[in-house]
Amino acid sequence: MSQGDAAALCFAYEDLGLGSFWTTDGEGRLTYMSPAAQALLGGGEDGLIGRPFLELFLPPDREAEGDSQRALSFALARRGRFERVIARSEAGGRGCWWSISGEPQSDGNTFTGFRGHCADITGERESAEESSRLAMHDPLTGLLNRRRMTQVLERTLTAYALQRRSCAIMLIDLDRFKQVNDTLGHAAGDALLKQVADRLVKIVGDKEKVCRLGGDEFQVILPDQEDRGVLGDMATSIISSISQPYSIEGSRCTIGASVGVAVAPFDGQASEELVRNADLALYAAKGSGRGRFRFFSNDLLKAAEDRRVLEEDLIDALPKGQLELHYQPIVKATSNQIVGMEALLRWNHPEQGWISPARFIPIAEESHLICRIGEWVLRKACEDAASWPGDARVAVNVSPIQFADSSLPALVASALASSGLEPDRLELEITEGVFLQEGGTTDAMFRALKDLGVRLALDDFGTGYSSLAYLKTAPFDKIKIDQSFVRGATGSGSRNRAIIAAIVALAKALDMETTAEGVESFDQFDLMKSLEVSHVQGFIYSPAITNDDFLARLDGDGWIIAPSGPARQRHDRQAMFRRIGAIHEDHYYPIVLRNLSVSGALIEGMVDVPLGTKFVLDLGDGQLVIATVRRSRKHQQGVEFEQEMVADGNGGLCTRHRVSPYALTAAGLTQTPGHAGPMLITRSDDGRVMLPAFSLASEWNGAALRTEAA
Ligand code: C2E
Ligand code: MG
Ligand code: MG
């Protein structure tokens, strides 16, 4: 190729806009650059020839690309070869990014300048920035996404561990979001999520601390926050803010939220552990009725482990014949006549003995074992009922998960056919949970079941959302009023009576029966009769019994059963019994907590402690409180706390602050309440208990203390 050809090739390359060649003289002044590149760099009519090459670009910006921009001046000064050095220019209001390479030229020993190549990479850079923004943010809400939040959390925790700082996270899960999505459509669901994001940001006060993990799950990170009083307040305002009505495309809707809280380093020091623990707390919050917050505590870890073990055992329970059906009579209140029996599942666990379905049905539902178990229950209940003399009905509980399974009507038909049971002797009990399941097939399922001729009962009314709207749309034959509601009705001034009266009136109007569940005493029984509840089920007639027991009892007085029980419901006051520790000077005393309130406690296990004595109570998990003895009677002391307790989100109390696990380990208090060696504890200015330098002025000599056990 001739030199002329090569030059033509270079010009063609430049004309295509792929880049430009450039040259400088020995003083660094521009001697050549394509007109297009000169124009981008601000060259007017006369161009830039003769200007110092370095000055065409912006000086290094210390904040951002400092290093790579410094690289250009460095490379030019060094007079060495350089490749793809990044530089920025700004001319005529237009910012550009450049990639520049250069090769030093010399004439013998003398440096004569650079010859190089540069290209405008603004487009690539902008799209890279955009994609990294997209990679970090949730496109719908503009909040951080899960990936980014994980990075932020990991970085924060690593840095904070060294500085021994705390960091809280909250996991937030929306309740009933699926319902909005299903009834109003996905566009409305999206609009709702955006509004939720706005409300969250408003409360947290910083968009960069809120993340949408996906679906209807959000996460908040709160660096340097460990005060559970503050965290509980924030969780409460998040829940109440999210629970305010939304207006979306002209429709109004409401949802709820549950919150799980975990605080590093107390509840985990690595991000994975912390998030898992916040998730356990969230799970517990949802399990305890939704619309609540919950702090992580070590019991939750234990409960999760127990659940896992039980889930494993449950897989074999059916094949090993450990499941049994028991039956509880449902009785017509006016005539004491048994009209039906409810089939209630029992699990005879090889090690743990009888386990209540309230404990294992939720596990079966989560692991989808419920469909297999449910099928067995349905077939067995139909078989048993077919063998009963007379025409009493059998009621079978159907889980919302079974209800969402389109093969349920076929299963019911098959159970009826193979047992020979009349369809109207089978009553399926369904909870409000079925209305909250994903998918909009509820109506079709109701119709398919009604077409088979079976009866439907709405179970546990008065727990859940208790929406009377369900009653109008779904073809129920019966409403079962939950036992918690029945129980609450006998208290003076209870609103439950009026509500039950309204339910009964509505049920009558819609031609439905009513059953009061869990009736134990005559005061409840009489009240239910006076409110004209048509049926009663409860210990006042009989607990659930085996099928054989039931058949044996039938011989005598047939289907009539007499109520018997206490005149009044005894309100069981649960005495607290929790093992804790008391630390005084260099002694650790195992004691028992009998009563706990916001400002004090009743403790037991030390004898004759003088009034005014101060010590530290170890409530476990790093919860240390300074307490002063205000009342003392033999082995019991009433103590007053120096700092009040706060709500733990689960109806209980916890300390605002905790002693960090680092300090606990140092003090030998890892397993609490456990045995601690001699230790010293102090308080910081804001009232936190700190280890390890304790000194409480007291005339009381801890060594002389007698514990009750001794
Ligand atoms: P449920 O359907 O509301 O059943 C009534 C529960 O109240 C039963 O508890 C029953 O033993 C209890 N009960 C009845 N009368 C009284 C009373 O006077 N006092 C007290 N304290 N309790 C009374 P159980 O058998 O522990 O069942 C708990 C729940 O487990 C049931 O609530 C039901 O939701 C579920 N379950 C039971 N068997 C099955 C089943 O086969 N399939 C499904 N999916 N769920 C089931
Ligand atoms: Mg039931
Ligand atoms: Mg019930």
Side-chain angles (χ1 to χ4, degrees), residues 452-490:
L452 291 173
V454 300
R455 288 166 50 100
L456 298 175
L458 178 60
D459 203 356
D460 299 346
F461 193 84
T463 56
Y465 305 110
S466 308
S467 168
L468 291 169
Y470 299 139
L471 297 179
K472 282 187 269 168
T473 54
F476 290 111
D477 300 282
K478 173 185 273 182
I479 305 169
K480 298 190 79 171
I481 303 165
D482 192 70
Q483 63 182 51
S484 59
F485 216 64
V486 170
R487 220 144 280 184
T490 48

Side-chain angles (χ1 to χ4, degrees), residues 342 397 429 459 480 517:
E342 177 174 4
N397 292 285
E429 295 195 359
D459 203 356
K480 298 190 79 171
E517 299 189 78

Side-chain angles (χ1 to χ4, degrees), residues 482-533:
D482 192 70
Q483 63 182 51
S484 59
F485 216 64
V486 170
R487 220 144 280 184
T490 48
S492 60
S494 168
R495 290 166 61 219
N496 290 16
R497 275 175 222 219
I499 298 173
I500 293 175
I503 295 171
V504 171
L506 183 67
K508 276 187 186 156
L510 295 169
D511 208 16
M512 297 177 190
E513 292 173 355
T514 40
T515 298
E517 299 189 78
V519 175
E520 291 184 353
S521 56
F522 275 97
D523 57 342
Q524 294 167 351
F525 184 64
D526 294 338
L527 179 62
M528 292 306 129
K529 281 208 290 194
S530 74
L531 290 170
E532 297 183 35
V533 174

Side-chain angles (χ1 to χ4, degrees), residues 324-326 328-329 342-346 355-362 365 370 373-374 376-378 395-400 402 429 431 459-460 480 482-483 487 516-521 524 537-544 569:
E324 261 181 47
L325 272 187
H326 289 197
Q328 185 180 32
E342 177 174 4
L344 293 164
L345 198 52
R346 301 285 178 261
I355 299 182
S356 157
R359 219 177 126 205
F360 71 84
I361 292 286
E365 287 177 334
I370 192 66
I373 294 176
W376 177 83
V377 168
L378 195 62
V396 175
N397 292 285
V398 175
S399 153
Q402 290 173 274
E429 295 195 359
T431 60
D459 203 356
D460 299 346
K480 298 190 79 171
D482 192 70
Q483 63 182 51
R487 220 144 280 184
E517 299 189 78
V519 175
E520 291 184 353
S521 56
Q524 294 167 351
Q537 177 181 355
F539 295 169
I540 191 135
Y541 282 116
S542 166
Q569 171 70 33

